[in-house]
Amino acid sequence: MKPPRIFTILCLLFLVLASSAVAAPSAKHYALVYTWNKDIQRALDDRTKLARALSLRIDRELQIVGNGQVFGVIYPLNGTLAQARKLALNQSNKLKLAGFNPAGIEPAGNYNKRYHLLLTQNSDPNRLKKGYARITGKLPAADRDNLQVKKKRLPQLRPYLPPNSRAVAGINSKVQDFLREQRSKGKLQRQERTALLAYDLTNNTYLASINSQSSFQAASMIKPFVALAFFYQVDKGKLKYSSKHRQMMEQMIQHSDNQATNWFIRQLGGPAKCNTLVNKKYGRLFRQVRIREYIPPGGKSYKNSALPQDYVQFLKALWNRQLPYSQEMLRVMSLPGRDRIFWGTDVPSGTLVYNKTGTTAQLCGDMGILVTKSKNGKRVPYAIVGIVERSSAPKNYKQWMVHGGGVIREFSSLVYGEMKHKYNLL
């Protein structure tokens, strides 16, 4: 005898409700929580350190969130509580080495997401919303009708001024001794040229200037100048900065993707047009930036070039927000990646790093800004440029790259020692 149809329906309904009640806890989303701070700048600083320690993408995987009057750094998950616990356990050793406690676990909804795209000091929500709008071209729905983003006039560019020889004489002597020592140890060969520059962005003075006005191959260090030409056109309304452009910009700068670089050069009308934009619009700032070619297959780019002092001028103008979309370029240059001015040096953890490396079979280089911290908590920025170039490919490429990168890293440590003494750094 078959059971009544209504009885069968009631049984199925009961089973569905029971299964939903069992599945609900496992469907809940969680996040790993690393730090809580009352100061949003401290949270931003912690996020930079965490990104490097955990090899996470600073904007896509690490978020700044708020809970009441404090700001936290989290890694949001779409997994279960068990998965969150497992990941927290796997990260514990890396966090300990970076000076952090083990990650906490919070259910989604216990905090509010902040607009965290900009690494700015003394940030407030309105300022961050404006930065978000300028970068993405859109606003969250709740703010779209109430916030009008106004275009700001860029500060006037300062023309190039040659380094003051008196200002750099003391440390230049130390750097010359350092180079002689590197050659005596076989880390630098006779046929290899070097350029080593350091610039104090607080006092606007050179700390070191070796071969600053000699032309060197640019390798991938030409890419920030390509970004500058592109953002100039965006600022003039001739090109747009869409989500695809943002992704390609990160590929070009963070991952040094050559295809992404060539994509931007094509957007600008080719190498000659890109070169004209940089030199015509910023000729008072740069002396000899030359964008002559697309990046060839295999990355064998030897025709693009620049003076080492041009990198310093670029970094100085970028830090002083004198270039279009300076904040976005700083954001992209701060994303975790390769560098030769921080990793493996005496520069302490917690230092903010904005850089772009350059590497070919004939050149090993890095240019960037290090933002250290003094014992009284003040941020102290300075620029570093290090280049080692040879006329032909070495017999042992890996060994040469280790030696070339080592020269730049030891130079960075030397400069940090000078800055530490000068500003009472940590």
mmCIF file of all heavy atoms in Angstrom, residues 16-47:
data_model
loop_
_atom_site.group_PDB
_atom_site.id
_atom_site.type_symbol
_atom_site.label_atom_id
_atom_site.label_comp_id
_atom_site.label_asym_id
_atom_site.label_seq_id
_atom_site.Cartn_x
_atom_site.Cartn_y
_atom_site.Cartn_z
ATOM 1 N N VAL A 16 14.792 18.490 3.377
ATOM 2 C CA VAL A 16 15.441 19.682 2.819
ATOM 3 C C VAL A 16 15.799 20.660 3.907
ATOM 4 O O VAL A 16 16.907 21.205 3.966
ATOM 5 C CB VAL A 16 14.522 20.346 1.769
ATOM 6 C CG1 VAL A 16 15.074 21.718 1.386
ATOM 7 C CG2 VAL A 16 14.400 19.467 0.533
ATOM 8 N N LEU A 17 14.856 20.915 4.847
ATOM 9 C CA LEU A 17 15.125 21.852 5.937
ATOM 10 C C LEU A 17 16.232 21.354 6.840
ATOM 11 O O LEU A 17 17.083 22.109 7.297
ATOM 12 C CB LEU A 17 13.834 22.074 6.750
ATOM 13 C CG LEU A 17 12.725 22.843 6.016
ATOM 14 C CD1 LEU A 17 11.443 22.844 6.866
ATOM 15 C CD2 LEU A 17 13.161 24.265 5.724
ATOM 16 N N ALA A 18 16.238 20.059 7.108
ATOM 17 C CA ALA A 18 17.267 19.481 7.979
ATOM 18 C C ALA A 18 18.642 19.582 7.344
ATOM 19 O O ALA A 18 19.627 19.933 7.990
ATOM 20 C CB ALA A 18 16.927 18.014 8.287
ATOM 21 N N SER A 19 18.723 19.285 6.024
ATOM 22 C CA SER A 19 20.023 19.368 5.353
ATOM 23 C C SER A 19 20.526 20.791 5.289
ATOM 24 O O SER A 19 21.716 21.053 5.391
ATOM 25 C CB SER A 19 19.933 18.766 3.938
ATOM 26 O OG SER A 19 19.014 19.500 3.159
ATOM 27 N N SER A 20 19.625 21.776 5.122
ATOM 28 C CA SER A 20 20.034 23.180 5.086
ATOM 29 C C SER A 20 20.587 23.610 6.421
ATOM 30 O O SER A 20 21.568 24.340 6.503
ATOM 31 C CB SER A 20 18.837 24.071 4.720
ATOM 32 O OG SER A 20 18.361 23.744 3.428
ATOM 33 N N ALA A 21 19.975 23.153 7.490
ATOM 34 C CA ALA A 21 20.448 23.522 8.831
ATOM 35 C C ALA A 21 21.823 22.960 9.094
ATOM 36 O O ALA A 21 22.677 23.590 9.719
ATOM 37 C CB ALA A 21 19.458 23.004 9.876
ATOM 38 N N VAL A 22 22.106 21.756 8.578
ATOM 39 C CA VAL A 22 23.422 21.147 8.779
ATOM 40 C C VAL A 22 24.477 21.840 7.938
ATOM 41 O O VAL A 22 25.610 22.065 8.364
ATOM 42 C CB VAL A 22 23.358 19.630 8.434
ATOM 43 C CG1 VAL A 22 24.760 19.026 8.442
ATOM 44 C CG2 VAL A 22 22.447 18.914 9.415
ATOM 45 N N ALA A 23 24.079 22.234 6.690
ATOM 46 C CA ALA A 23 25.065 22.808 5.773
ATOM 47 C C ALA A 23 25.390 24.252 6.068
ATOM 48 O O ALA A 23 26.425 24.752 5.661
ATOM 49 C CB ALA A 23 24.551 22.697 4.328
ATOM 50 N N ALA A 24 24.508 24.962 6.797
ATOM 51 C CA ALA A 24 24.697 26.406 6.996
ATOM 52 C C ALA A 24 26.042 26.782 7.586
ATOM 53 O O ALA A 24 26.708 27.675 7.086
ATOM 54 C CB ALA A 24 23.564 26.955 7.853
ATOM 55 N N PRO A 25 26.507 26.104 8.685
ATOM 56 C CA PRO A 25 27.785 26.512 9.267
ATOM 57 C C PRO A 25 28.954 26.376 8.302
ATOM 58 O O PRO A 25 29.848 27.208 8.264
ATOM 59 C CB PRO A 25 27.932 25.578 10.478
ATOM 60 C CG PRO A 25 26.532 25.157 10.807
ATOM 61 C CD PRO A 25 25.835 25.082 9.496
ATOM 62 N N SER A 26 28.960 25.289 7.466
ATOM 63 C CA SER A 26 30.093 25.075 6.569
ATOM 64 C C SER A 26 30.096 26.066 5.416
ATOM 65 O O SER A 26 31.114 26.292 4.793
ATOM 66 C CB SER A 26 30.063 23.633 6.020
ATOM 67 O OG SER A 26 28.873 23.428 5.283
ATOM 68 N N ALA A 27 28.907 26.661 5.110
ATOM 69 C CA ALA A 27 28.841 27.609 4.009
ATOM 70 C C ALA A 27 29.258 29.011 4.428
ATOM 71 O O ALA A 27 29.374 29.900 3.603
ATOM 72 C CB ALA A 27 27.422 27.637 3.438
ATOM 73 N N LYS A 28 29.467 29.214 5.709
ATOM 74 C CA LYS A 28 29.825 30.531 6.204
ATOM 75 C C LYS A 28 31.235 30.901 5.747
ATOM 76 O O LYS A 28 32.133 30.067 5.721
ATOM 77 C CB LYS A 28 29.755 30.529 7.728
ATOM 78 C CG LYS A 28 29.611 31.900 8.346
ATOM 79 C CD LYS A 28 29.283 31.752 9.813
ATOM 80 C CE LYS A 28 28.928 33.094 10.429
ATOM 81 N NZ LYS A 28 28.527 32.946 11.842
ATOM 82 N N HIS A 29 31.425 32.160 5.384
ATOM 83 C CA HIS A 29 32.732 32.612 4.927
ATOM 84 C C HIS A 29 33.531 33.187 6.089
ATOM 85 O O HIS A 29 32.972 33.783 7.008
ATOM 86 C CB HIS A 29 32.567 33.665 3.833
ATOM 87 C CG HIS A 29 31.975 33.108 2.575
ATOM 88 N ND1 HIS A 29 31.584 33.895 1.521
ATOM 89 C CD2 HIS A 29 31.694 31.830 2.209
ATOM 90 C CE1 HIS A 29 31.098 33.137 0.555
ATOM 91 N NE2 HIS A 29 31.145 31.883 0.954
ATOM 92 N N TYR A 30 34.862 33.037 5.992
ATOM 93 C CA TYR A 30 35.743 33.495 7.059
ATOM 94 C C TYR A 30 36.894 34.304 6.467
ATOM 95 O O TYR A 30 37.122 34.311 5.254
ATOM 96 C CB TYR A 30 36.290 32.305 7.851
ATOM 97 C CG TYR A 30 35.232 31.563 8.630
ATOM 98 C CD1 TYR A 30 34.486 30.544 8.035
ATOM 99 C CD2 TYR A 30 34.967 31.902 9.951
ATOM 100 C CE1 TYR A 30 33.504 29.886 8.742
ATOM 101 C CE2 TYR A 30 33.981 31.242 10.666
ATOM 102 C CZ TYR A 30 33.257 30.236 10.061
ATOM 103 O OH TYR A 30 32.273 29.595 10.762
ATOM 104 N N ALA A 31 37.619 34.958 7.331
ATOM 105 C CA ALA A 31 38.813 35.710 6.926
ATOM 106 C C ALA A 31 39.894 35.515 7.977
ATOM 107 O O ALA A 31 39.599 35.362 9.168
ATOM 108 C CB ALA A 31 38.498 37.194 6.767
ATOM 109 N N LEU A 32 41.151 35.504 7.518
ATOM 110 C CA LEU A 32 42.277 35.521 8.445
ATOM 111 C C LEU A 32 42.574 36.971 8.797
ATOM 112 O O LEU A 32 42.688 37.819 7.903
ATOM 113 C CB LEU A 32 43.510 34.874 7.822
ATOM 114 C CG LEU A 32 43.380 33.410 7.397
ATOM 115 C CD1 LEU A 32 44.747 32.875 6.974
ATOM 116 C CD2 LEU A 32 42.798 32.555 8.488
ATOM 117 N N VAL A 33 42.670 37.266 10.066
ATOM 118 C CA VAL A 33 42.904 38.632 10.534
ATOM 119 C C VAL A 33 44.299 38.698 11.144
ATOM 120 O O VAL A 33 44.633 37.933 12.043
ATOM 121 C CB VAL A 33 41.852 39.057 11.574
ATOM 122 C CG1 VAL A 33 42.105 40.486 12.027
ATOM 123 C CG2 VAL A 33 40.453 38.935 10.991
ATOM 124 N N TYR A 34 45.120 39.643 10.635
ATOM 125 C CA TYR A 34 46.514 39.707 11.047
ATOM 126 C C TYR A 34 46.795 40.789 12.088
ATOM 127 O O TYR A 34 47.523 40.551 13.047
ATOM 128 C CB TYR A 34 47.398 39.930 9.821
ATOM 129 C CG TYR A 34 47.254 38.856 8.780
ATOM 130 C CD1 TYR A 34 46.554 39.095 7.597
ATOM 131 C CD2 TYR A 34 47.778 37.584 8.975
ATOM 132 C CE1 TYR A 34 46.416 38.104 6.636
ATOM 133 C CE2 TYR A 34 47.643 36.578 8.018
ATOM 134 C CZ TYR A 34 46.953 36.851 6.852
ATOM 135 O OH TYR A 34 46.808 35.872 5.911
ATOM 136 N N THR A 35 46.273 41.978 11.891
ATOM 137 C CA THR A 35 46.555 43.074 12.827
ATOM 138 C C THR A 35 45.339 43.971 12.985
ATOM 139 O O THR A 35 44.477 44.046 12.105
ATOM 140 C CB THR A 35 47.729 43.962 12.334
ATOM 141 O OG1 THR A 35 47.359 44.602 11.109
ATOM 142 C CG2 THR A 35 48.988 43.149 12.136
ATOM 143 N N TRP A 36 45.281 44.673 14.128
ATOM 144 C CA TRP A 36 44.301 45.742 14.367
ATOM 145 C C TRP A 36 45.060 46.952 14.892
ATOM 146 O O TRP A 36 45.907 46.830 15.774
ATOM 147 C CB TRP A 36 43.249 45.321 15.393
ATOM 148 C CG TRP A 36 42.286 44.267 14.900
ATOM 149 C CD1 TRP A 36 42.272 42.950 15.227
ATOM 150 C CD2 TRP A 36 41.214 44.463 13.978
ATOM 151 N NE1 TRP A 36 41.265 42.309 14.573
ATOM 152 C CE2 TRP A 36 40.581 43.208 13.798
ATOM 153 C CE3 TRP A 36 40.721 45.571 13.291
ATOM 154 C CZ2 TRP A 36 39.488 43.031 12.962
ATOM 155 C CZ3 TRP A 36 39.625 45.394 12.456
ATOM 156 C CH2 TRP A 36 39.023 44.139 12.293
ATOM 157 N N ASN A 37 44.780 48.131 14.319
ATOM 158 C CA ASN A 37 45.442 49.362 14.736
ATOM 159 C C ASN A 37 44.451 50.528 14.711
ATOM 160 O O ASN A 37 43.549 50.566 13.871
ATOM 161 C CB ASN A 37 46.615 49.700 13.791
ATOM 162 C CG ASN A 37 47.729 48.673 13.858
ATOM 163 O OD1 ASN A 37 48.495 48.648 14.807
ATOM 164 N ND2 ASN A 37 47.800 47.830 12.847
ATOM 165 N N LYS A 38 44.651 51.475 15.607
ATOM 166 C CA LYS A 38 43.819 52.678 15.598
ATOM 167 C C LYS A 38 44.221 53.620 14.466
ATOM 168 O O LYS A 38 43.422 54.439 14.021
ATOM 169 C CB LYS A 38 43.930 53.408 16.940
ATOM 170 C CG LYS A 38 43.279 52.662 18.100
ATOM 171 C CD LYS A 38 43.343 53.480 19.381
ATOM 172 C CE LYS A 38 42.658 52.728 20.522
ATOM 173 N NZ LYS A 38 42.693 53.511 21.791
ATOM 174 N N ASP A 39 45.462 53.531 13.996
ATOM 175 C CA ASP A 39 45.989 54.392 12.943
ATOM 176 C C ASP A 39 45.933 53.651 11.611
ATOM 177 O O ASP A 39 46.538 52.585 11.453
ATOM 178 C CB ASP A 39 47.432 54.780 13.280
ATOM 179 C CG ASP A 39 48.052 55.705 12.238
ATOM 180 O OD1 ASP A 39 47.309 56.158 11.344
ATOM 181 O OD2 ASP A 39 49.263 55.962 12.334
ATOM 182 N N ILE A 40 45.226 54.213 10.625
ATOM 183 C CA ILE A 40 45.104 53.540 9.335
ATOM 184 C C ILE A 40 46.453 53.440 8.621
ATOM 185 O O ILE A 40 46.722 52.483 7.901
ATOM 186 C CB ILE A 40 44.068 54.254 8.436
ATOM 187 C CG1 ILE A 40 43.756 53.369 7.211
ATOM 188 C CG2 ILE A 40 44.536 55.628 8.016
ATOM 189 C CD1 ILE A 40 42.611 53.872 6.375
ATOM 190 N N GLN A 41 47.354 54.421 8.841
ATOM 191 C CA GLN A 41 48.669 54.355 8.213
ATOM 192 C C GLN A 41 49.458 53.158 8.739
ATOM 193 O O GLN A 41 50.179 52.500 7.991
ATOM 194 C CB GLN A 41 49.446 55.650 8.453
ATOM 195 C CG GLN A 41 50.812 55.697 7.769
ATOM 196 C CD GLN A 41 50.696 55.593 6.257
ATOM 197 O OE1 GLN A 41 49.831 56.210 5.663
ATOM 198 N NE2 GLN A 41 51.563 54.801 5.647
ATOM 199 N N ARG A 42 49.302 52.871 10.028
ATOM 200 C CA ARG A 42 49.965 51.689 10.602
ATOM 201 C C ARG A 42 49.426 50.411 9.958
ATOM 202 O O ARG A 42 50.186 49.485 9.667
ATOM 203 C CB ARG A 42 49.737 51.681 12.114
ATOM 204 C CG ARG A 42 50.336 50.479 12.831
ATOM 205 C CD ARG A 42 51.854 50.520 12.873
ATOM 206 N NE ARG A 42 52.379 49.344 13.549
ATOM 207 C CZ ARG A 42 52.528 49.250 14.879
ATOM 208 N NH1 ARG A 42 52.207 50.286 15.645
ATOM 209 N NH2 ARG A 42 53.024 48.161 15.423
ATOM 210 N N ALA A 43 48.111 50.396 9.722
ATOM 211 C CA ALA A 43 47.517 49.236 9.055
ATOM 212 C C ALA A 43 48.052 49.095 7.635
ATOM 213 O O ALA A 43 48.351 47.983 7.170
ATOM 214 C CB ALA A 43 45.992 49.362 9.044
ATOM 215 N N LEU A 44 48.199 50.205 6.922
ATOM 216 C CA LEU A 44 48.753 50.181 5.571
ATOM 217 C C LEU A 44 50.200 49.686 5.576
ATOM 218 O O LEU A 44 50.614 48.910 4.718
ATOM 219 C CB LEU A 44 48.669 51.571 4.953
ATOM 220 C CG LEU A 44 47.268 52.055 4.573
ATOM 221 C CD1 LEU A 44 47.275 53.562 4.324
ATOM 222 C CD2 LEU A 44 46.745 51.332 3.349
ATOM 223 N N ASP A 45 50.979 50.139 6.565
ATOM 224 C CA ASP A 45 52.369 49.694 6.682
ATOM 225 C C ASP A 45 52.432 48.194 6.948
ATOM 226 O O ASP A 45 53.243 47.471 6.361
ATOM 227 C CB ASP A 45 53.078 50.443 7.817
ATOM 228 C CG ASP A 45 53.252 51.930 7.510
ATOM 229 O OD1 ASP A 45 53.036 52.322 6.351
ATOM 230 O OD2 ASP A 45 53.579 52.690 8.445
ATOM 231 N N ASP A 46 51.562 47.717 7.855
ATOM 232 C CA ASP A 46 51.532 46.293 8.164
ATOM 233 C C ASP A 46 51.147 45.471 6.940
ATOM 234 O O ASP A 46 51.665 44.373 6.710
ATOM 235 C CB ASP A 46 50.538 46.012 9.299
ATOM 236 C CG ASP A 46 51.085 46.400 10.665
ATOM 237 O OD1 ASP A 46 52.303 46.626 10.776
ATOM 238 O OD2 ASP A 46 50.298 46.482 11.627
ATOM 239 N N ARG A 47 50.211 46.004 6.144
ATOM 240 C CA ARG A 47 49.793 45.272 4.944
ATOM 241 C C ARG A 47 50.946 45.088 3.981
ATOM 242 O O ARG A 47 51.111 44.019 3.374
ATOM 243 C CB ARG A 47 48.639 46.012 4.253
ATOM 244 C CG ARG A 47 48.094 45.245 3.055
ATOM 245 C CD ARG A 47 46.985 45.981 2.360
ATOM 246 N NE ARG A 47 47.431 47.253 1.832
ATOM 247 C CZ ARG A 47 46.758 47.940 0.909
ATOM 248 N NH1 ARG A 47 45.612 47.472 0.461
ATOM 249 N NH2 ARG A 47 47.197 49.102 0.470
#
